[in-house]
């Protein structure tokens, strides 16, 4: 697989934050398949507060030329619905209010890189959740299973990002926005874990084939 120049820069600039998120108690428990159903619902609700805020900011950005694919917050709504959380409870959840403004297309693309990139790792998390979601006939996993036409979204996004190459200021704006978005997400998730979730040991992550 050839990795484009701009993507390489984005990866390098965000790899430390990405690695830290692998150790987040809720995300790592989900990735290791050791989260219980209450913890999973609570994790999705916390993620919803971030993704709903991001989607609102992105939706206001007319210069983003992305292909089809349901907004990530819509997938969370569908999962929470399948797991029995009523819509009025979702409407009352706190939303992340600290997202940086996305002035200009390069910044919007950089932030979108983080949101869409998180769906790539999600496919693995989805596999680990299969036993947990058996009583729901496998429903409740659209967000992590990368559902909603996201392959096309990711390909289109990478093409838009690579088009910034050769425009140093625009490239830098995309990288800065990606780093900021990762940090905002980390802050949003930090120190947060439902009572029922304990961080899994590294051993259990390896046993479940989460890490390469
Ligand atoms: C325990 C949680 C996570 C795991 C296990 C995980 C795992 C992975 C894996 C395996 C990939 C590579 C997938 C591929 O190339 O097919 C990936 C990519 C990526 N992930 Fe995560 N991830 C996690 C959480 C997150 C979160 C919370 C974010 C952002 C908020 C994120 C952002 C990204 C990005 C931006 C990429 C694309 C990197 C690239 O350019 O190749 N990940 N993740």
């Amino acid at each position: 697989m050839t990795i484009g120049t701009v993507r390489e820069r984005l990866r390098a600039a965000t790899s430390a934050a990405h690695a830290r998120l692998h150790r987040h108690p809720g995300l790592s428990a989900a990735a290791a398949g050791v989260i219980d159903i209450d913890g999973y619902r609570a994790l999705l609700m916390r993620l919803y507060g971030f993704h709903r805020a991001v989607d609102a900011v992105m939706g206001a950005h007319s210069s983003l030329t992305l292909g089809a694919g349901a907004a990530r917050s819509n997938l969370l709504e569908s999962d929470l619905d399948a797991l029995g959380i009523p819509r009025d409870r979702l409407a009352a959840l706190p939303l992340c209010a600290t997202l940086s403004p996305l002035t200009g297309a390069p910044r919007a693309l950089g932030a979108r890189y983080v949101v869409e990139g998180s769906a790539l790792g999600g496919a693995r998390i989805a596999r680990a959740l299969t036993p947990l979601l058996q009583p729901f006939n496998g429903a409740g996993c659209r967000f992590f299973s990368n559902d909603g036409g996201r392959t096309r979204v990711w390909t289109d996004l990478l093409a838009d990002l690579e088009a910034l190459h050769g425009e140093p200021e625009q490239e830098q704006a995309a990288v800065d926005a990606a780093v900021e978005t990762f940090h905002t997400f980390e802050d949003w998730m930090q120190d947060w874990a439902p009572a029922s979730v304990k961080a899994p040991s590294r051993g259990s992550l390896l046993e479940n084939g989460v890490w390469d």
Side-chain angles (χ1 to χ4, degrees), residues 1 3 6-8 10-12 14 17-19 21-24 26-32 47 50-51 72 110-125 143-144 146 154 158 178 181-182 185-186 189 205 210-212:
M1 175 182 54
I3 304 261
V6 179
R7 183 179 178 190
E8 246 173 34
L10 287 160
R11 267 183 153 181
T14 60
H18 192 203
L21 282 165
H22 286 174
R23 295 190 289 276
H24 179 272
L27 289 170
S28 59
L47 290 168
F50 179 79
H51 283 280
R72 302 276 283 147
R112 190 79 194 225
Y113 166 80
V114 181
V115 176
E116 295 301 335
S118 73
L120 300 183
R124 289 177 176 215
I125 297 176
F143 175 78
F144 282 121
N146 221 351
W154 180 244
L158 291 179
T181 306
F182 254 109
F185 181 78
E186 276 191 286
M189 300 300 284
L205 291 169
V210 173
W211 316 111
D212 289 324

Side-chain angles (χ1 to χ4, degrees), residues 175-200:
V175 172
D176 289 346
V179 171
E180 287 167 29
T181 306
F182 254 109
H183 289 166
T184 306
F185 181 78
E186 276 191 286
D187 287 347
W188 178 248
M189 300 300 284
Q190 198 180 9
D191 296 334
W192 174 87
S196 59
V197 170
K198 300 267 181 295

